[in-house]
Amino acid sequence: MSDDVTGTVFDCQIQARLRDINLAGHVDNVEALRIVDEARLLFLHFAPDVLSGAERPGLLGTAPEHVTELMGAQRIEYHAEMRFVAFQPFLVRLWVHRIGRTSFGLGVELRVAADHPPALVAELSLVLWDHEAGTAWPISDDVRAALTTYEGPGVTFRSR
């Protein structure tokens, strides 16, 4: 999709639904965020982690079951209108743009068709949270290695 992202990326399709449309006839901004969130869950919990061979799938498959990700921040720019087209899924591309001690960032592009520029770009910041300890979980070497396989640049936002 984007020429800016050159490393390994996760591409998926999220089917548009009639309920995504608002009164103006286009995909509502809240529903666009839902599409991004659904793609994020697919990426983190089902994307191939070719390094670990973990029992659980996804990039977080080697993390303990009591560790989950919490959304820390989201920055989103809408670049084009997204209209509902029956049986035409949205195309979402995700990659890791930052890995910290207990958190990491994802870059996101959402397109309405492969030959269109991104209709939406976003950066998501996620914190790994240990529910048993009640605190942020330091990213293990295995999880860090899995995230690193999808590492790429930050998202380019419009200048202010």
Side-chain angles (χ1 to χ4, degrees):
M1 288 189 207
S2 173
D3 296 333
D4 297 336
V5 181
T6 57
T8 301
V9 295
F10 179 76
D11 290 315
C12 65
Q13 298 180 2
I14 305 295
Q15 184 59 52
R17 300 178 300 191
L18 286 172
R19 76 176 200 97
D20 297 339
I21 302 170
N22 63 20
L23 293 174
H26 59 252
V27 175
D28 187 85
N29 64 305
V30 172
E31 293 304 323
L33 188 55
R34 180 203 53 82
I35 293 164
V36 167
D37 201 48
E38 192 172 327
R40 173 188 64 85
L41 291 171
L42 288 174
F43 180 42
L44 296 178
H45 296 283
F46 297 99
D49 173 6
V50 296
L51 300 176
S52 75
E55 290 182 24
R56 292 185 358 221
L59 299 182
L60 302 180
T62 59
E65 289 193 26
H66 56 86
V67 171
T68 189
E69 74 277 5
L70 298 177
M71 187 64 63
Q74 301 174 63
R75 180 174 178 193
I76 301 162
E77 281 187 359
Y78 298 92
H79 292 222
E81 183 180 32
M82 295 172 279
R83 297 199 72 77
F84 175 81
V85 178
F87 308 110
Q88 180 178 319
F90 293 107
L91 308 175
V92 186
R93 171 168 281 182
L94 299 100
W95 64 95
V96 176
H97 74 84
R98 179 189 58 77
I99 305 171
R101 191 179 77 74
T102 61
S103 66
F104 60 96
L106 299 180
V108 182
E109 293 178 343
L110 183 149
R111 286 177 162 64
V112 296
D115 61 345
H116 285 64
L120 171 158
V121 295
E123 280 190 350
L124 313 176
S125 180
L126 295 118
V127 176
L128 292 179
W129 187 258
D130 183 332
H131 287 284
E132 288 181 356
T135 187
W137 182 74
I139 297 174
S140 68
D141 290 342
D142 288 343
V143 171
R144 184 175 301 279
L147 292 170
T148 301
T149 62
Y150 288 91
E151 201 165 18
V155 173
T156 302
F157 290 102
R158 294 182 287 239
S159 59
R160 296 183 196 263

